[in-house]
Amino acid sequence: MAGRKSPPPQNLSPELLLRAYASGIFPMSESADDPEIFWVRPEQRGIIPLDKFHISRSLQKTLKRSPFEICYDTAFEQVLEGCAIRRDPNAGTWINQTIRDGYIALHKAGHCHSVEAWQDGQLVGGLYGVSLGGAFFGESMFSHVTDASKVCLVHLVERLRAHGFKLLDTQFTTEHLQRFGAVEIPAKDYEDMLLPAILTPAQF
């Protein structure tokens, strides 16, 4: 990971965030209590090729049961809060107040979105990310009920495909994401994909 700390700006404006994503970088912080941010450009970038998305048999069975009501952009700040709270208190979080405020502003500007899983009137899982043209940059997800965030990811991919998106950026890869088809590509290859994607007209 390549990162550079910077003094905390007064705000992460939508314009600054969109310029960063268009340049292949994104902000993080060391912890929720650290007011500073740093900009990250991974040498190996995680993506999920939309034409190679994989759903396991067990998840297919869950999807057939339809245990969740899936909504979009109805509880963005609750999803952001869910992602910021770690069930393991020792794991910490990289979402500090500067980042929260920045992404809430970006959501209000129409470039940051949430996918939500509801059950019995309760938000039980979700994810959020940034859209720019035909590129979607996944930021974080959370789940309070088994498979809730996985089902949100499935619905996200279906929505991106239906709306003409070309790139689903996961920033990094994890064993969890690899089960869905996530791969790592060199930064140069990612940047070659990025510009055509963000120039593709698409609406989330």
Side-chain angles (χ1 to χ4, degrees):
M1 175 196 307
R4 179 174 62 83
K5 269 211 171 187
S6 63
Q10 290 186 346
N11 60 69
L12 284 174
S13 68
E15 295 77 16
L16 175 60
L17 284 168
L18 292 177
R19 286 201 305 270
Y21 280 98
S23 301
I25 62 177
F26 54 88
M28 295 184 71
S29 67
E30 294 289 354
S31 71
D33 299 325
D34 187 344
E36 295 188 353
I37 64 165
F38 57 92
W39 296 98
V40 181
R41 177 184 275 112
E43 294 180 3
Q44 295 289 318
R45 193 77 170 221
I47 66 168
I48 296 179
L50 291 171
D51 60 349
K52 297 180 180 178
F53 185 68
H54 174 72
I55 303 174
S56 68
R57 290 183 179 179
S58 61
L59 185 56
Q60 288 175 9
K61 293 178 180 178
T62 299
L63 291 166
K64 288 180 180 179
R65 296 202 315 270
S66 299
F68 310 112
E69 178 186 1
I70 301 299
C71 298
Y72 303 90
D73 289 338
T74 66
F76 178 82
E77 293 188 34
Q78 286 178 256
V79 171
L80 185 62
E81 181 68 19
C83 292
I85 297 173
R86 292 288 183 251
R87 300 181 75 174
D88 178 359
N90 297 318
T93 178
W94 53 268
I95 301 175
N96 65 8
Q97 192 60 51
T98 300
I99 288 175
R100 289 182 194 222
D101 293 344
Y103 286 95
I104 289 171
L106 194 60
H107 169 67
K108 292 177 179 178
H111 285 281
C112 202
H113 305 280
S114 59
V115 184
E116 308 133 16
W118 298 83
Q119 192 173 68
D120 299 326
Q122 299 295 316
L123 181 67
V124 295
L127 61 83
Y128 78 96
V130 174
S131 67
L132 181 58
F136 191 90
F137 309 87
E139 282 295 320
S140 189
M141 61 175 61
F142 80 98
S143 185
H144 295 319
V145 173
T146 300
D147 287 342
S149 63
K150 294 178 182 178
V151 171
C152 286
L153 180 58
V154 171
H155 281 266
L156 171 67
V157 170
E158 290 177 349
R159 190 176 182 94
L160 297 181
R161 286 171 170 170
H163 290 199
F165 280 74
K166 303 300 182 184
L167 175 65
L168 173 52
D169 173 9
T170 64
Q171 300 177 345
F172 309 105
T173 57
T174 63
E175 184 178 344
H176 172 69
L177 291 174
Q178 287 171 352
R179 296 192 184 102
F180 291 95
V183 295
E184 284 187 342
I185 60 174
K188 176 62 169 64
D189 293 348
Y190 172 79
E191 290 166 4
D192 289 343
M193 298 173 63
L194 178 60
L195 182 58
I198 64 177
L199 291 178
T200 298
Q203 290 290 331
F204 185 84

